[in-house]
Amino acid sequence: MFTLLAGVALAVWLGVPAHSAESPIRFSLQTAGFPLESCETPERHAPETMAGGVALFDYDRDGDLDLFLTNGADIKTLKKSSSKYSNRLLANDGKGHFTDVTEKAKLAGTGFDNGVAVGDFDNDGWPDLFVGGVHRNTLYRNKGDGTFQDVTAKAGLNQPDKEFGLLWSVGGAWVDVNNDGRLDLVVVNYLVWDFATEPACTGEGRREYCHPKMYKRSPNQLYLNNGDGTFTDASASSGLRAHPGKGMGIAIADYDLDGLMDIFVANDKVYNSLFHNKGSSRFEEVAFSAGVALVDSGDFISGMGVDFNDLDNDGYPDIVLVALDDETFPLYRNTGKGEFTDVTRTSGMGPLSLSMAGYSPTIGDFDNDGWKDIFVTRGHVQSLQAAPRITVEQHNTVFRNLGKMRFAALTAEAGLAAGSARRHRGSAIGDLNGDGRLDTVVSALGAAPEVWMNESPAAAHWLEIQLEGTKSNRDGIGARIRMVTAAGTQWQQASTSAGYASSSAGPVHFGLGADSAISLVEIRWPSGLVQQWKDVRPDRVWKVKEGVQ
């Protein structure tokens, strides 16, 4: 057992001199041991630089968010040849103490694992794990006794693609695409890669990681939940397979509010994909007509992770994804008319992120002021030898929402320069110590995970809603929540998938600012049931069961 060591970081915000004012968002750095081992070699095999999925979820249902971290393997054999490559499950006692329970839980893994998605696929009340990796995916069923069972073969998720063979998954998303009360699985796949045919790319006379153009695209996959522990491959019939890409991020939301969850995939140096749910488990790819296939300049960018949530409190989920330096972090505002507007420049995100290389964006209200912010993990895709020609290791940044779709970038100001610059990768957010503030866990190549404890100074109010579906899926994924206070109205759509290769499976979090009273909470469940509550008490985790007032 080990204790996360606390720290405090005072900073500046938007040019205010140091120590004259506290930043409205502030984090302190703590560590969780166990370096991320991706088997980086001089030959620069592509998977080595892409590892690092993170998940926060309450695996033992004790009310505290626990931490799961994917890990790599021997790059040649794709096997965990040493204990240093073990995945990790760390149990949280809610007081900043974590215990490594990987061995007991049977979650060490066997292959080169990349991403993770959390969802209760069998509706038994215990959160399960899908772990995506290089040429191997694994479905772990939570048995409810502190252990997990590998049910991949039984579920039918271990079959190679008939055309592409074994695929490289960077994770996935759990979502009920047909509203039958069972979570289906969308798997996002990256490049077609093989150790034996790795292209040789050089930079300044040395091997370096290759541009994505050196590899073929691969198709994403949809598996429909049969309700008996098995899944049916609906990749082709759903329409997803017809649009292969180089997916590095997946996020879900009902962007047109028709009651069906849609899918956005951020692609690396090819067009992004927006799959509009047409019902009956069928999708139409609409990225071009919706305005999200490319950035305004028409250039391809290195699309990394993505999040899909309402940033301007108008009830329609917006899209943010991240890319490499000189590409900016694109931000698409949902117009409410079935399309999006690129507001990267007008929001300030463009100039603020121009010099940054990002991997995992996660949307959350980190200062509880009622406006959702964006935490971005940063670090370049290239190896350390590419420095100082490019800035490979970077500090993370939180983009504070100023309202009216404008943002301020806080790095040192938020305490995020307290640790060393790293090649950061995945991230997950959730309240780790029960103080009502969203914390963040970040992975980094060759380094221990960074646990950023939220110590934002304002005494703002908050509410977290723990959903329990009955007719809908048990997690309530896809539920749309409306909250009304004196300051206005906020919306959230429940999901566990966002960022890069990661999953945040805590309760749905609302910041309330100075409002100490909530006049109305409305939940529209995936089943179609609508429930309302008036005069709801804030500053707590509120457990809501579908159909129960």
Side-chain angles (χ1 to χ4, degrees):
M1 177 179 287
F2 57 88
T3 302
L4 299 183
L5 301 177
V8 176
L10 297 178
V12 297
W13 174 52
L14 296 179
V16 177
H19 307 300
S20 67
E22 290 182 322
S23 168
I25 302 178
R26 190 177 71 232
F27 295 91
S28 65
L29 175 61
Q30 307 169 12
T31 58
F34 312 118
L36 171 58
E37 297 284 356
S38 61
C39 194
E40 196 161 11
T41 65
E43 291 74 31
R44 308 300 177 205
H45 296 283
E48 299 166 5
T49 192
M50 308 297 285
V54 180
L56 286 174
F57 73 122
D58 186 3
Y59 89 97
D60 51 4
R61 291 177 51 185
D62 65 352
D64 306 311
L65 292 179
D66 309 299
L67 174 59
F68 178 80
L69 302 156
T70 66
N71 214 339
D74 182 285
I75 192 63
K76 183 176 182 178
T77 65
L78 298 181
K79 295 181 179 180
K80 294 188 186 296
S81 57
S82 167
S83 60
K84 70 179 182 179
Y85 294 122
S86 172
N87 300 329
R88 305 287 182 177
L89 177 64
L90 308 178
N92 179 10
D93 70 354
K95 299 178 182 179
H97 301 90
F98 287 75
T99 303
D100 183 1
V101 295
T102 310
E103 184 176 353
K104 176 184 176 181
K106 301 180 180 180
L107 284 176
T110 58
F112 197 114
D113 293 319
N114 208 141
V116 56
V118 179
D120 183 3
F121 78 88
D122 55 0
N123 287 332
D124 67 352
W126 297 92
D128 310 300
L129 293 178
F130 169 77
V131 177
V134 185
H135 299 171
R136 177 183 174 87
N137 298 325
T138 310
L139 179 61
Y140 293 103
R141 178 179 174 269
N142 190 334
K143 297 172 64 178
D145 59 358
T147 69
F148 289 75
Q149 179 184 8
D150 183 344
V151 295
T152 315
K154 176 185 176 181
L157 300 179
N158 63 340
Q159 299 300 312
D161 185 87
K162 294 180 180 179
E163 178 181 356
F164 294 92
L166 297 172
L167 298 174
W168 170 8
S169 164
V170 295
W174 290 103
V175 53
D176 186 357
V177 301
N178 50 17
N179 290 341
D180 65 355
R182 300 188 293 264
L183 287 178
D184 310 301
L185 177 64
V186 183
V187 180
V188 60
N189 293 307
Y190 189 40
L191 309 169
V192 175
W193 175 86
D194 188 288
F195 178 88
T197 59
E198 182 76 75
C201 301
T202 59
E204 299 182 348
R206 295 171 293 189
R207 287 285 290 268
E208 193 49 272
Y209 295 112
C210 290
H211 190 283
K213 68 182 179 181
M214 303 299 293
Y215 308 86
K216 294 181 179 179
R217 305 183 190 192
S218 62
N220 299 310
Q221 298 162 294
L222 171 63
Y223 294 94
L224 298 179
N225 191 333
N226 298 322
D228 59 358
T230 68
F231 291 78
T232 297
D233 187 347
S235 308
S237 62
S238 67
L240 265 66
R241 185 180 173 78
H243 302 276
K246 299 176 181 179
M248 283 189 63
I250 182 170
I252 60 170
D254 178 9
Y255 78 90
D256 56 353
L257 308 187
D258 64 354
L260 297 168
M261 295 296 279
D262 310 299
I263 304 165
F264 182 89
V265 177
N267 284 310
D268 193 0
K269 290 295 187 179
V270 295
Y271 303 111
N272 298 318
S273 299
L274 177 59
F275 295 102
H276 178 223
N277 194 333
K278 303 290 288 184
S280 301
S281 304
R282 295 182 180 274
F283 291 82
E284 178 185 8
E285 206 290 304
V286 297
F288 268 102
S289 61
V292 295
L294 293 166
V295 294
D296 266 357
S297 66
D299 296 325
F300 288 132
I301 64 168
S302 307
M304 304 291 196
V306 61
D307 206 348
F308 203 164
N309 211 325
D310 180 15
L311 287 165
D312 55 358
N313 288 345
D314 67 351
Y316 290 91
D318 310 298
I319 298 173
V320 62
L321 62 151
V322 296
L324 296 181
D325 48 300
D326 297 324
E327 295 178 336
T328 76
F329 300 165
L331 180 59
Y332 299 101
R333 180 183 177 272
N334 191 331
T335 67
K337 300 177 181 179
E339 58 187 14
F340 295 77
T341 300
D342 188 333
V343 295
T344 310
R345 181 183 59 83
T346 59
S347 67
M349 187 67 73
L352 291 171
S353 65
L354 186 61
S355 64
M356 300 178 180
Y359 251 84
S360 184
T362 45
I363 294 174
D365 189 352
F366 294 100
D367 55 0
N368 284 337
D369 67 349
W371 295 93
K372 302 179 196 71
D373 314 296
I374 307 167
F375 189 103
V376 175
T377 70
R378 292 171 51 197
H380 211 281
V381 69
Q382 297 294 13
S383 70
L384 294 176
Q385 72 180 13
R389 178 174 54 86
I390 58 176
T391 305
V392 177
E393 296 181 301
Q394 301 184 19
H395 294 292
N396 302 313
T397 296
V398 60
F399 292 87
R400 184 176 185 242
N401 193 333
L402 305 177
K404 298 182 179 179
M405 216 59 161
R406 291 194 61 83
F407 293 84
L410 307 178
T411 302
E413 300 90 338
L416 294 171
S420 300
R422 301 285 188 190
R423 287 178 293 169
H424 298 105
R425 294 300 184 253
S427 65
I429 62 174
D431 183 0
L432 294 176
N433 56 4
D435 66 356
R437 293 175 288 192
L438 289 173
D439 311 300
T440 305
V441 181
V442 176
S443 67
L445 296 183
E450 297 173 357
V451 180
W452 293 98
M453 300 301 294
N454 192 335
E455 297 183 349
S456 300
H461 296 284
W462 56 278
L463 181 70
E464 292 198 337
I465 301 178
Q466 182 69 62
L467 299 171
E468 182 182 334
T470 52
K471 186 177 181 181
S472 302
N473 66 85
R474 179 68 179 247
D475 292 331
I477 290 176
R480 183 171 184 252
I481 305 173
R482 178 167 68 102
M483 182 173 295
V484 181
T485 67
T489 303
Q490 297 182 54
W491 285 265
Q492 294 254 35
Q493 290 187 357
S495 173
T496 66
S497 297
Y500 171 71
S502 297
S503 197
S504 302
V508 181
H509 181 96
F510 287 87
L512 304 175
D515 288 336
S516 59
I518 303 168
S519 58
L520 176 69
V521 174
E522 178 186 88
I523 300 178
R524 293 181 176 270
W525 296 88
S527 66
L529 177 67
V530 179
Q531 291 180 273
Q532 291 185 340
W533 294 264
K534 295 182 178 180
D535 301 321
V536 175
R537 177 171 55 88
D539 302 323
R540 60 182 173 129
V541 178
W542 181 34
K543 296 182 179 180
V544 176
K545 189 173 184 177
E546 183 179 12
V548 178
Q549 290 292 132

